[in-house]
């Protein structure tokens, strides 16, 4: 009876406008947050480099070929890069200053040996999903991350030897060993593959192993820093790219393409997210104003009900439940439409070469809960203020 009495003087047009605005805002809000998270997650777990990370070196020109220009990085250059607001961190890529060879050491695999180039980077720049990425003097096994091209070369060698090729998982079971040496001594240390990468052309080893080799087997002069790793800020990859071009630096093209793609899409989604937040805010504001208007039109009814013995809290609850039900239905329908958009957009991104994970982002769901709670609090306070205003009048 209370609802029939209190909601008979409604202006349906204003209510419909508020519902449509809230529905569109909620739908685009959860969609934009979902894809903003998924785009930023793209590439994680598939490579050993952390997100928004580039391996950078100086571009080789005619001056460098003639020995008139430096291709290494000084400490001051690295420190100046760290001062840029769009660069979160810079670390040198350390290389071996000793001779090292890599060979198979497994009775089930044909003998293979090659002189190699090994490197190490700061662990903060790596995304290694293994608890084996550590080494200390005395350990018999060095964990390594192998360039995928090296595995292709190894499979080619094995195929030419009439032996079946190996998969990634099988390659991780093969025993290898390093031979590290200088002019006076050499040492054999076992090695085991724990991962692969398409982004680094050298074999990666733990920093402690590199320091051990460079300390005990160094060939002479200190090794120059010819490569660095740069971690850029989220959604500011364009500024990083401009900085590299301006200072004659370059990175692997695939890293640049992925970083540029993520930055562009993230920026577009952020724009949509901003519009969605504004739409949700404005539509919720219209609903709250509609609640105020409805209470104003029913001021006489509210006063009459209070005089008849109805407690103000019961009237407040009636208004409150009515409006949170409306917003709850809007939220449910908006979330359902989001799934429809998701099926379409996942296919579009996949066809465009951006294979995003298909799971629903938790942040998108949380955004709906936050919007619902905020609207519930605002509607309750508005209803309480309006009813008690009539109660005390």
């Amino acid at each position: 009876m209370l609802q029939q009495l209190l909601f008979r003087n409604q202006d349906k047009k204003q209510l419909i406008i508020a519902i449509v605005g809230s529905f569109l805002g909620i739908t685009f809000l959860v969609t934009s947050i979902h894809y903003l998270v998924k785009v930023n997650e793209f590439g994680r777990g598939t490579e050993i480099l952390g997100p928004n990370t580039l391996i950078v070196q100086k571009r080789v020109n005619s001056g460098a070929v003639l020995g008139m220009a430096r291709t290494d990085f000084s400490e001051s250059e690295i420190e100046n890069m760290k001062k840029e607001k769009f660069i979160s961190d810079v670390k040198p890529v350390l290389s071996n200053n000793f001779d090292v060879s890599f060979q198979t050491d497994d009775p089930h695999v044909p003998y293979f040996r090659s002189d190699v180039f090994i490197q190490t980077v700061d662990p903060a720049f790596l995304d290694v999903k293994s608890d084996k990425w550590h080494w200390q003097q005395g350990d018999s096994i060095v964990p390594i991350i192998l360039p995928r091209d090296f595995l292709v070369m190894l499979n080619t060698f094995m195929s030419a030897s009439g032996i079946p090729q190996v998969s990634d998982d099988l390659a991780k079971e093969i025993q290898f060993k390093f031979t590290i040496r200088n002019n006076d001594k050499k040492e054999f240390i076992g090695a085991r593959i724990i991962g692969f990468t398409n982004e680094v052309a050298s074999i990666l080893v733990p920093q402690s192993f590199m320091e051990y080799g460079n300390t005990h087997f160094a060939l002479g002069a200190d090794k120059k820093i010819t490569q660095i790793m740069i971690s850029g800020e989220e959604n500011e990859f364009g500024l990083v790219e401009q900085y590299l071009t301006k200072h004659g630096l370059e990175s692997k093209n695939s890293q640049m393409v992925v970083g540029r793609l993520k930055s562009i899409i993230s920026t577009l989604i952020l724009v949509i997210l901003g519009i969605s937040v504004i739409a949700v805010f404005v539509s919720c504001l219209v609903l709250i104003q509609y609640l105020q208007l409805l209470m104003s039109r029913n001021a006489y009814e509210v006063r009459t009900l209070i005089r008849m013995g109805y407690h103000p809290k019961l009237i407040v609850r009636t208004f409150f439940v009515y409006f949170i039900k409306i917003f709850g239905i809007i939220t449910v329908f908006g979330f359902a439409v989001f799934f429809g958009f998701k099926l379409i957009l996942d296919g579009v991104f996949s066809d465009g070469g951006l294979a995003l994970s298909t799971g629903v982002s938790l942040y998108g769901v949380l955004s709906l809960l936050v919007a619902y709670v905020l609207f519930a609090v605002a509607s309750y306070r508005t209803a309480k203020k309006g009813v008690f205003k009539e109660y005390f009048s």
Side-chain angles (χ1 to χ4, degrees):
M1 186 187 77
L2 282 180
Q3 287 194 7
Q4 293 177 351
L5 180 63
L6 295 174
F7 302 121
R8 63 182 180 179
N9 297 321
Q10 294 192 68
D11 182 357
K12 298 292 185 179
K13 290 182 180 180
Q14 185 175 358
L15 180 61
I16 292 173
I17 291 173
I19 289 174
V20 171
S22 298
F23 169 74
L24 293 176
I26 286 293
T27 303
F28 287 113
L29 177 68
V30 65
T31 302
S32 57
I33 290 179
H34 170 81
Y35 282 104
L36 181 63
V37 172
K38 293 301 178 181
V39 167
N40 284 318
E41 288 178 349
F42 175 71
R44 295 181 184 179
T46 60
E47 277 295 343
I48 54 89
L49 298 186
N52 306 307
T53 300
L54 299 173
I55 298 178
V56 174
Q57 58 274 336
K58 291 186 176 180
R59 187 176 292 111
V60 177
N61 52 33
S62 56
V65 173
L66 297 174
M68 299 169 59
R70 293 179 54 182
T71 58
D72 61 310
F73 294 91
S74 65
E75 290 294 333
S76 60
E77 288 177 309
I78 294 176
E79 291 301 318
N80 288 334
M81 290 182 192
K82 291 181 180 179
K83 295 177 182 178
E84 299 292 341
K85 294 181 179 180
F86 48 84
I87 295 178
S88 58
D89 201 4
V90 182
K91 293 289 184 181
V93 178
L94 302 179
S95 304
N96 58 296
N97 193 21
F98 53 92
D99 290 334
V100 56
S101 61
F102 184 66
Q103 66 189 68
T104 56
D105 189 31
D106 195 308
H108 302 99
V109 178
Y111 179 75
F112 174 87
R113 179 188 177 279
S114 175
D115 290 333
V116 292
F117 179 60
I118 62 175
Q119 290 183 312
T120 188
V121 298
D122 192 286
F125 283 80
L126 295 177
D127 192 17
V128 180
K129 302 297 188 296
S130 175
D131 57 359
K132 299 178 181 179
W133 189 247
H134 58 82
W135 185 89
Q136 61 182 7
Q137 187 174 350
D139 288 351
S140 59
I141 299 295
V142 179
I144 61 174
I145 296 173
L146 201 67
R148 192 162 296 279
D149 289 343
F150 197 98
L151 181 61
V152 172
M153 181 179 67
L154 182 62
N155 272 327
T156 302
F157 171 78
M158 296 181 72
S159 178
S161 302
I163 299 173
Q165 297 179 330
V166 297
S167 64
D168 288 6
D169 291 336
L170 186 57
K172 293 178 181 180
E173 300 299 322
I174 298 175
Q175 299 178 28
F176 297 91
K177 72 177 180 181
F178 283 123
T179 303
I180 56 177
R181 60 187 180 275
N182 57 17
N183 297 329
D184 302 319
K185 56 183 178 179
K186 66 180 178 179
E187 183 177 344
F188 301 97
I189 302 177
R192 201 57 83 79
I193 301 170
I194 66 166
F196 300 90
T197 175
N198 290 313
E199 305 299 336
V200 183
S202 60
I203 298 175
L204 288 179
V205 298
Q207 189 169 338
S208 55
F209 177 73
M210 183 68 74
E211 292 173 351
Y212 171 78
N214 282 336
T215 300
H216 295 84
F217 295 89
L219 295 174
D222 293 337
K223 196 75 173 181
K224 294 181 178 180
I225 300 173
T226 57
Q227 286 185 319
I228 57 174
M229 299 197 80
I230 292 179
S231 179
E233 295 289 349
E234 291 280 358
N235 306 317
E236 294 187 342
F237 188 82
L239 296 175
V240 176
E241 188 174 9
Q242 292 174 19
Y243 182 88
L244 297 183
T245 302
K246 179 180 178 180
H247 291 83
L249 306 176
E250 61 182 0
S251 182
K252 193 172 181 179
N253 188 57
S254 61
Q255 294 176 330
M256 299 293 287
V257 170
V258 171
R260 190 183 303 122
L261 182 63
K262 288 174 63 176
S263 182
I264 292 173
I265 295 178
S266 295
T267 301
L268 291 175
I269 294 176
L270 276 174
V271 173
I272 298 174
L273 175 59
I275 296 173
S276 302
V277 171
I278 294 173
V280 172
F281 176 78
V282 172
S283 57
C284 288
L285 188 61
V286 172
L287 279 173
I288 295 299
Q289 289 178 336
Y290 180 76
L291 170 59
Q292 293 173 331
L293 178 63
L294 188 61
M295 296 181 67
S296 176
R297 289 179 176 178
N298 288 276
Y300 173 77
E301 286 80 356
V302 170
R303 286 195 299 270
T304 301
L305 288 170
I306 292 174
R307 289 167 183 169
M308 290 173 60
Y310 284 91
H311 198 283
K313 290 184 178 180
L314 178 60
I315 302 174
V316 170
R317 189 183 305 118
T318 303
F319 280 110
F320 171 69
V321 171
Y322 179 78
F323 277 87
I324 64 169
K325 280 184 178 179
I326 291 177
F327 198 76
I329 293 171
I330 292 171
T331 302
V332 170
F333 274 94
F335 195 63
V337 173
F338 153 71
F339 274 101
F341 282 157
K342 182 177 179 298
L343 290 175
I344 298 173
L345 292 175
D346 282 350
V348 172
F349 281 123
S350 179
D351 293 341
L354 203 64
L356 305 178
S357 61
T358 56
V360 177
S361 170
L362 177 62
Y363 291 100
V365 178
L366 288 176
S367 69
L368 295 183
L369 293 176
V370 170
Y372 186 79
V373 170
L374 290 177
F375 176 79
V377 171
S379 59
Y380 178 79
R381 295 186 64 178
T382 302
K384 183 179 179 180
K385 181 179 179 181
V387 171
F388 277 87
K389 177 182 177 182
E390 301 301 327
Y391 177 72
F392 290 111
S393 62

